[in-house]
Amino acid sequence: MKINQEQESALIGMILGDAYVQKTGAHNARLRLEQQAAHREYLIWKTQLLKGLFQGKPTMLKRIHPKTRKTYSYVRQQSNASPYLGKLRALFYPNGKKQIPEELYRWLVSDIGFAVWFYDDGYYYIRDRSLYLYLGTVSRREATIAQNVLRKRFNLQSTIADKGKKGFALYFPASERNKVRDILAKYRVPIMAYKIPS
């Protein structure tokens, strides 16, 4: 499978964010993307970044929330299986649970990876002009790896915030707002514009 450095960084951003790398055999895996139905345009944008991986069109599905019993509509697109994705599965899911690997600096090279990751898991607080990138239930060590990679690669300064049951997040103060905005603006997706600092 041929993939350039920017595409690989985008793929890493997806895996760090909402994507799931599903094992399909001893050495292969495939990428599963899901978004709420209203963000179908964003899912299509992500698949266009990795045209060689995907075939067909997104599938519209419905899910009933187990507690609220509300029905949610979402779209899903799954990639072809490959040994390359199997390698990424081993890197990001060494024990079956997603984690932030020690080698992240080697993989997250282009800022498009940060843009995708932020579109998936970032949040802009308009009131105080600060931003959060939610990391989920990772360890503090993993949060530190993410923090250091974003600082060294993209000069983004952050602190680690403990969000309790939600896990850790990276907090970017208002002083970093323009840096984040400039990166996201390079990879603008209209439906996700609400995440770009004004």
Side-chain angles (χ1 to χ4, degrees):
M1 190 184 79
K2 292 182 179 179
I3 188 168
N4 63 37
Q5 195 174 67
E6 183 163 288
Q7 288 175 313
E8 185 169 75
S9 287
L11 175 56
I12 297 303
M14 292 177 204
I15 295 171
L16 289 165
D18 292 339
Y20 175 63
V21 186
Q22 182 182 26
K23 189 174 181 179
T24 59
H27 304 289
N28 288 1
R30 65 183 177 188
L31 188 71
R32 178 189 293 171
L33 302 180
E34 291 184 356
Q35 301 289 152
Q36 59 176 291
H39 288 173
R40 183 176 183 274
E41 173 191 334
Y42 173 51
L43 181 139
I44 291 172
W45 178 79
K46 288 197 284 189
T47 63
Q48 290 298 305
L49 294 175
L50 302 167
K51 287 183 181 179
L53 279 181
F54 294 92
Q55 293 179 340
K57 296 180 179 180
T59 303
M60 186 71 73
L61 301 166
K62 292 186 182 293
R63 179 181 292 146
I64 298 174
H65 193 283
K67 291 183 179 178
T68 65
R69 306 308 297 168
K70 287 184 179 178
T71 300
Y72 295 90
S73 297
Y74 65 102
V75 286
R76 173 189 290 171
Q77 183 95 350
Q78 297 187 138
S79 76
N80 301 318
S82 74
Y84 171 72
L85 290 172
K87 184 169 110 175
L88 292 181
R89 163 84 189 184
L91 178 68
F92 282 89
Y93 299 79
N95 301 306
K97 178 182 180 291
K98 185 160 71 174
Q99 69 177 41
I100 297 173
E102 293 276 350
E103 304 89 349
L104 182 61
Y105 183 81
R106 185 169 83 80
W107 293 88
L108 191 65
V109 178
S110 167
D111 58 8
I112 192 172
F114 171 77
V116 171
W117 191 7
F118 192 87
Y119 279 144
D120 278 2
D121 292 333
Y123 189 85
Y124 174 49
Y125 284 88
I126 296 175
R127 187 187 66 187
D128 58 1
R129 300 192 300 174
S130 63
L131 305 101
Y132 283 94
L133 178 59
Y134 287 88
L135 306 176
T137 54
V138 299
S139 66
R140 182 172 284 275
R141 171 68 183 151
E142 291 169 73
T144 301
I145 292 168
Q147 178 188 39
N148 289 338
V149 169
L150 296 184
R151 176 175 52 81
K152 291 175 183 175
R153 276 285 180 217
F154 314 121
N155 191 30
L156 293 171
Q157 310 301 320
S158 64
T159 57
I160 297 172
D162 188 340
K163 293 294 185 177
K165 290 183 179 179
K166 290 183 178 180
F168 291 104
L170 297 182
Y171 167 76
F172 302 92
S175 58
E176 298 298 291
R177 179 176 60 98
N178 290 343
K179 293 182 197 174
V180 174
R181 181 193 61 204
D182 291 347
I183 292 173
L184 298 179
K186 286 168 62 177
Y187 309 104
R188 188 176 178 87
V189 183
I191 196 68
M192 307 303 286
Y194 71 96
K195 291 205 175 188
I196 302 177
S198 56

